[in-house]
């Protein structure tokens, strides 16, 4: 039962990553097309991130009451509706209707992003990092599937006389619908450490943040998400300013995806072997190194190395933080608490994405890199000085 459930979650992760990869790539293009104004290009991704942060709390509460299976199935289904609506409204030329679809996909992501917690609950604590790493490897597979689907998508769009960008959202809806069916039918296993008929309890955010291990996990995920989004969004723009073309920028972004997901199969094992604290420390050091490389780099190779290092740094912070958080919470309070804390994680992601653009527009790329470097180094020093000790659950 556990193997079947794990396979369903891994496959759903690959499908949802493929769906969101297609959606994110096409959303800004469609926004500009529908409004004939490039200033709207960043609005879809901003709405998506803010909606994810907003819904994470409610997704956690729902899963605490009704279980991971019901919560994740509903999240994937909501994403299906949102992607289908985005496609329909884009075809009709209605920008704000398209944005409602984007909003629904973002709300769905608040729940879908908690798949990592569902996976970690199905294995023993000493293997949680490894399995979260494997889940992220499935994200890499999903990104590859996206690449393979593009030629097929173009052929189908031509056959049915549909614009290919709008048709991409229909493919996203199909992938999310398949993920919903897989989770709803095959995800039947229960967490390994939750006794039957256990009463659910609620811990306030204040109570959670008093715990050193929870603080460490949350800081790792927030800094990882915030710095990664800040640099990932703006580094391609920096490369373009230095005269690099679309093909070169696409190549270095592929390197970034490899850094984020390609090594996840081994980084999860490192988290279990060397400890979450050490891996968060290593991740923040790599984030700082990426900022330095981006600041000093001029060639496309140097930018590519910076983006690859950024991806690996994010991976370590995200996997280690997720694993540590799951192990630090009592089973009866875990789902609700994770939802509450994910609000902070995805808010940091939205702040990073918005903050990078604001810093560049007001003070230039050097200022953005300097801010990212300062945040990463301060976090690394704080993690190094902290002695979190062995995992001790909140009681």
């Amino acid at each position: 039962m556990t193997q079947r459930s794990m396979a369903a979650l891994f496959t759903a992760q690959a499908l949802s990553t493929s769906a969101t990869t297609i959606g994110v790539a096409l959303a800004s293009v469609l926004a500009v097309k529908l409004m004939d104004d490039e200033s709207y290009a960043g609005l879809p991704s901003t709405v998506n991130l803010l909606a994810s942060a907003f819904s994470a709390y409610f997704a956690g509460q729902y899963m605490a009451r009704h279980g991971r299976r019901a919560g994740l199935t509903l999240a994937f289904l909501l994403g299906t509706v949102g992607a289908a609506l985005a496609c329909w409204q884009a075809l009709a030329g209605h920008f704000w209707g398209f944005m409602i679809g984007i909003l629904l996909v973002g709300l769905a992501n608040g729940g879908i992003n908690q798949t990592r917690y569902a996976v970690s609950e199905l294995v023993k604590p000493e293997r949680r990092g490894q399995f979260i790493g494997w889940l992220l490897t499935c994200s890499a597979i999903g990104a590859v599937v996206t690449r393979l689907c593009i030629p097929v998508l173009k052929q189908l769009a031509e056959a049915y006389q549909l614009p290919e960008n709008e048709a991409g959202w229909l493919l996203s809806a199909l992938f999310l619908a398949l993920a919903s069916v897989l989770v709803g039918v095959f995800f039947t296993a229960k967490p390994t450490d939750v006794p039957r008929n256990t009463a659910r309890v609620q811990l306030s955010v204040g109570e959670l943040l008093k715990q050193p291990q929870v603080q460490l996990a949350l800081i790792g995920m927030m800094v990882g998400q915030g710095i990664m989004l800040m640099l990932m969004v703006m580094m391609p723009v920096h490369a373009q300013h230095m005269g690099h073309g679309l093909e070169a920028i696409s190549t270095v972004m592929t390197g970034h995806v490899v850094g984020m997901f390609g090594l996840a199969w081994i980084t999860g094992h490192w988290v279990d072997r060397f400890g979450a604290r050490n891996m968060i420390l290593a991740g923040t050091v790599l984030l700082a190194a990426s900022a330095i490389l981006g600041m000093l780099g001029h060639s496309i190779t140097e930018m590519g190395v910076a983006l690859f290092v950024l991806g690996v740094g994010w991976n370590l912070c995200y996997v280690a933080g997720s694993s540590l958080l799951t192990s630090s919470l009592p089973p009866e309070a875990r789902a609700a608490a994770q939802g509450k804390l994910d609000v902070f994680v995805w808010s940091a992601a939205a702040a990073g994405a918005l903050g990078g653009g604001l810093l560049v527009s007001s003070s230039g790329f050097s200022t953005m890199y300097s801010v990212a470097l300062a945040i990463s180094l301060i976090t690394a020093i704080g993690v190094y000085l902290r002695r979190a000790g062995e995992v001790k659950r909140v009681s």
Side-chain angles (χ1 to χ4, degrees), residues 17-36:
T17 300
S18 185
T20 53
T21 300
I22 294 171
V24 169
L26 297 177
S28 60
V29 176
L30 284 172
V32 173
K33 176 183 177 181
L34 292 171
M35 295 301 288
D36 194 26

Side-chain angles (χ1 to χ4, degrees), residues 86-105:
C87 175
W88 173 37
Q89 292 297 293
L91 287 170
H94 298 155
F95 174 74
W96 293 111
F98 171 71
M99 288 304 303
I100 293 175
I102 297 291
L103 176 66
L104 292 178
V105 172

Side-chain angles (χ1 to χ4, degrees), residues 308-328:
F308 174 78
V309 172
L310 176 67
V312 177
W314 169 85
N315 179 291
L316 292 175
C317 290
Y318 192 69
V319 174
S322 299
S323 176
L324 179 60
L325 184 61
T326 299
S327 298
S328 300

Side-chain angles (χ1 to χ4, degrees), residues 216-359:
L216 179 60
L218 187 59
I219 288 170
M221 289 189 289
M222 287 180 64
V223 173
Q225 286 286 1
I227 299 301
M228 190 273 287
L229 263 294
M230 178 186 292
L231 299 184
M232 183 191 73
V233 169
M234 297 311 300
M235 273 189 178
V237 179
H238 190 195
Q240 190 176 40
H241 277 237
M242 291 189 293
H244 301 298
L246 179 60
E247 184 176 350
I249 294 173
S250 298
T251 300
V252 298
M253 287 306 296
T254 301
H256 175 62
V257 172
V258 171
M260 289 178 67
F261 303 123
L263 299 178
W265 60 275
I266 186 64
T267 56
H269 174 69
W270 291 345
V271 170
D272 293 331
R273 181 175 180 181
F274 300 111
R277 174 181 168 274
N278 291 330
M279 290 300 99
I280 291 174
L281 174 60
T284 53
V285 169
L286 288 177
L287 294 176
S290 175
I292 294 172
L293 290 169
M295 189 185 305
L296 301 178
H298 293 90
S299 71
I300 198 65
T301 301
E302 292 168 334
M303 297 294 290
V305 171
L307 281 164
F308 174 78
V309 172
L310 176 67
V312 177
W314 169 85
N315 179 291
L316 292 175
C317 290
Y318 192 69
V319 174
S322 299
S323 176
L324 179 60
L325 184 61
T326 299
S327 298
S328 300
L329 296 169
E332 63 273 14
R334 187 181 290 149
Q338 287 166 332
K340 292 175 182 177
L341 296 174
D342 259 10
V343 172
F344 294 94
V345 176
W346 300 108
S347 295
L354 288 172
L358 292 173
L359 286 169

Side-chain angles (χ1 to χ4, degrees), residues 71-85:
L72 289 174
T73 301
L74 182 61
F76 284 118
L77 186 60
L78 179 61
T80 302
V81 173
L85 178 63

